[in-house]
Amino acid sequence: MTIATLRPGLQPRLLMCPPRHFAVTYSINPWMDPAQWADGAADLRACAARQWTALESALHEAGAAIETVAPREGLPDLVFTANAAVVLDRKALLARFRHPERQGEQPVFAAGFRALAARGLLDAVIEPPEYAVLEGAGDCIFDKRRGLFWLGSGFRSDAAAARLIEDTFGVPCLALTLADARHYHLDTALCALPCGSVIYFPAAFSAAALDLLHSHVAPHERIALGPADAARFAANAVCVGRTVVLSGCGETLRRRLEERGYTVVQTPLNAFMRSGGSACCLTLRLDHASEAAGAQSMLARRAAGLR
Ligand code: ARG
């Protein structure tokens, strides 16, 4: 799909942050090793810059408009804009981070979102309440086909944030407990495609979470990853139109996506994987819209005690 074929209001819009100050200087997940980063810092920095630019080009080529937030010294993880907020129907609910290392990003992202609102790209920017940690879309994935959010909890975001999401956006939010520290954010283990298929790594979820996922995603819609694809962050994919952009994937996954009508674009992001992030983590979708009727009927059914 090219930009020319999309009506302006329908063009996918992504928020990114250039990696000028990206580095691994602390460790808040099992992928992060500051000593190893320091060993090759100059090369790794240059590599991150090249890989980020290639990702941005691939997304632009696929038809996305790219907005940016300016990088800030001392905030190396600001590049992971997926964690900045949950955005739906032109409303942004700002993140509250679990670790002090990332809490300094909150005011920077808040200013960034207010600037987007001033330009007319958002209607509302909502401060997060004190009581819940919620690390943005990195842990709260909008499943457009089902008209609901999937929330990852157990490492970063609180399961209690599900209620906050439902109250804020008026769509159901189903909490999935994550069980593997290497998949500490939901977007490292699950990607909901617009056709209804879901890419996921079963071993990242608790047994109850898998049951819940399977009760909503039919067998033919499940694209389960093996450990090799999971380890190269294949679930951390960005879908723009019919293009799926990811860091890397095996032949079988590529074929399964192509069978469903997607074009797969692989763009290596190993410099960012040293921080526990990849394609999806480096982007935040600003234009997701609910089909309000479907979402509200599911909430109403639930209120009436039905499934
Ligand atoms: N180093 C970052 C952290 O641990 C990586 C965040 C990746 N973002 C994501 N959406 N999974 O918070």
Side-chain angles (χ1 to χ4, degrees):
M1 177 159 350
T2 62
I3 299 169
T5 64
L6 290 161
R7 280 198 285 134
L10 295 181
Q11 185 178 13
R13 194 173 290 275
L14 299 169
L15 182 69
M16 297 180 72
C17 172
R20 197 172 314 138
H21 302 295
F22 172 67
V24 178
T25 56
Y26 49 77
S27 182
I28 55 172
N29 71 52
W31 302 87
M32 299 176 84
D33 183 338
Q36 243 183 49
W37 178 275
D39 270 355
D43 288 349
L44 287 168
R45 242 177 226 283
C47 176
R50 279 195 308 276
Q51 293 187 336
W52 187 92
T53 302
L55 173 66
E56 187 197 29
S57 304
L59 294 168
H60 188 256
E61 185 71 15
I66 311 292
E67 303 293 337
T68 54
V69 62
R72 185 71 72 89
E73 197 171 356
L75 296 175
D77 279 344
L78 199 68
V79 288
F80 299 114
T81 50
N83 296 121
V86 178
V87 185
L88 184 71
D89 294 335
R90 300 174 53 87
K91 260 195 251 184
L93 173 61
L94 298 173
R96 177 173 300 286
F97 286 93
R98 175 157 311 273
H99 297 292
E101 287 87 340
R102 293 201 66 181
Q103 286 164 359
E105 296 175 34
Q106 288 174 203
V108 179
F109 281 134
F113 282 101
R114 288 199 191 97
L116 292 172
R119 286 174 48 211
L121 293 174
L122 294 171
D123 294 331
V125 180
I126 305 163
E127 286 293 331
E130 295 287 333
Y131 65 84
V133 170
L134 174 60
E135 297 204 344
D139 255 342
C140 192
I141 294 176
F142 187 58
D143 183 333
K144 189 165 177 61
R145 186 59 182 275
R146 296 177 181 81
L148 55 79
F149 279 106
W150 296 105
L151 174 74
S153 69
F155 294 100
R156 299 292 182 85
S157 301
D158 293 325
R163 187 62 203 279
L164 168 65
I165 294 289
E166 293 187 342
D167 291 348
T168 305
F169 297 104
V171 306
C173 180
L174 306 180
L176 301 170
T177 305
L178 297 169
D180 173 350
R182 285 159 37 95
H183 297 278
Y184 58 95
H185 275 145
L186 183 62
D187 68 354
T188 67
L190 183 144
C191 172
L193 294 168
C195 62
S197 288
V198 175
I199 304 172
Y200 70 116
F201 179 46
F205 297 93
S206 73
L210 264 191
D211 282 350
L212 181 62
L213 195 60
H214 289 164
S215 73
H216 288 266
V217 181
H220 71 276
E221 296 172 313
R222 299 177 197 162
I223 305 179
L225 298 185
D229 274 333
R232 56 187 159 209
F233 275 82
N236 199 246
V238 186
C239 186
V240 175
R242 277 296 187 181
T243 305
V244 174
V245 180
L246 41 66
S247 170
C249 73
E251 201 39 41
T252 309
L253 176 57
R254 194 173 60 75
R255 210 169 349 95
R256 293 186 76 186
L257 291 168
E258 284 174 358
E259 279 162 14
R260 288 166 166 82
Y262 296 98
T263 301
V264 178
V265 175
Q266 301 186 50
T267 184
L269 292 163
N270 46 295
F272 297 97
M273 282 163 59
R274 287 169 177 265
S275 189
S278 185
C280 183
C281 309
L282 292 164
T283 65
L284 176 68
R285 192 74 190 245
L286 296 172
D287 62 302
H288 274 316
S290 65
E291 267 125 56
Q296 275 160 18
S297 74
M298 182 164 168
L299 280 177
R301 278 202 313 279
R302 193 192 294 170
L306 306 165
R307 264 194 65 91

